[in-house]
Amino acid sequence: MSQSVSSVVTFPVLFADIGGTNARFALLVDAEGDIRHFDTVETRLFPTVEDAIQSAVIDAGAPVPKSLVFALAGPIGEESTQLTNCPWVVTPKRLVERFRLEHVILFNDFEALGLCLPGLKPMDLVAVGGALPPERGTKVVIGPGTGLGAAGLVDAAGLWVPVPGEGGHIDLAPVTARDYDIWPHIERAGGRVTGETIICGSGLLRLYRAVAAAGKSFAACDTPAAVTAAAEAGDPLAVETVALFAEHLGRIAGNLALTFLAHGGVYLAGGIAPRIVKVLQQGGFRAAFEDKYPHQGLMASLPTAIIVHDRPALAGLVDFARRPNTFGLRLDGRHWRG
């Protein structure tokens, strides 16, 4: 059975979406109230999450929260959570003591993104390759940003059941002849090429350098933003890199769609997808997504869309707090009491 959040959190509730680069906060005074958003903070500017909360929320004159509901970019631990691409360690006991809290509930960041999917409106989405996803049906969300995250949202017995994971770290293999030219030049960690190796911000730059090395070309760009800017300006090396980035995002998104049989659609989140909408819609993404012999027909029927909502993970946490009974989710192992 799912547990009702109304029985385990006390308002006001502070929500947070904490990734490798940025932390976003919002506060809800009661279940029916308006959401108050706070300035986004860069994680590198604060030594701890407690310092960021103090500066961005408490010092801004917000009501003192009694509960925290956070989405974190990393697998949730029993006593503390180390963020994957950020030095912060989130320790519920320390948060309870510092801010005199009654409750702390932690979610994986892509689990929180999964929670937002049923509540997204057409204006929050841009279709890639056809119609927008339907309201019901099992869904998948994948998002390249500082890293690569993924999660499922299973439609079961009238409830939405989020399935967190670390899908960004599954292996990514070469498929085309061009891939085999490029693969030997990809910088790899731990001897592996994973989705996150090339499908994230730093991965885009890693892919750019590999493409340059394969063609014995000079790699002039030294940041991911420079690569996308060069692609928009028509630089051939950067144009190919961004096209390959979209293609491999399509491959791994298709793998996850097959894993979950995502008839409810695959959603692209994170900071990069909304910036390369035209590239994703040009065909390479969908062609790679559907290239799953012997299930090309099935894959062609699964819709894909880009999330353009500005704070979707926070929206997911708030939706869960407001309508807990629509989600089949136990809080065991993620709920700490003061």
Side-chain angles (χ1 to χ4, degrees), residues 22-34:
N22 295 313
R24 298 171 176 85
F25 297 100
L27 188 126
L28 201 59
V29 174
D30 59 67
E32 304 303 323
D34 293 330

Side-chain angles (χ1 to χ4, degrees), residues 174-209:
V175 176
T176 67
R178 183 58 171 154
D179 291 343
Y180 280 97
D181 290 338
I182 294 166
W183 238 248
H185 304 283
I186 296 175
E187 304 164 26
R188 37 191 94 189
R192 301 173 64 213
V193 177
T194 68
E196 188 168 283
T197 302
I198 61 174
I199 308 171
C200 66
S202 60
L204 178 64
L205 185 59
R206 198 175 287 118
L207 180 60
Y208 171 79
R209 289 170 175 162

Side-chain angles (χ1 to χ4, degrees), residues 251-273:
R251 291 199 188 285
I252 203 163
N255 291 343
L256 293 169
L258 273 177
T259 300
F260 282 92
L261 279 184
H263 290 288
V266 176
Y267 296 73
L268 306 180
I272 297 176

Side-chain angles (χ1 to χ4, degrees), residues 99-122:
F99 298 107
R100 299 181 181 179
L101 300 166
E102 296 182 19
H103 307 278
V104 173
I105 298 176
L106 302 182
F107 292 87
N108 169 266
D109 59 338
F110 270 78
E111 187 179 15
L113 277 170
L115 296 174
C116 90
L117 301 181
L120 292 175
K121 309 299 182 187

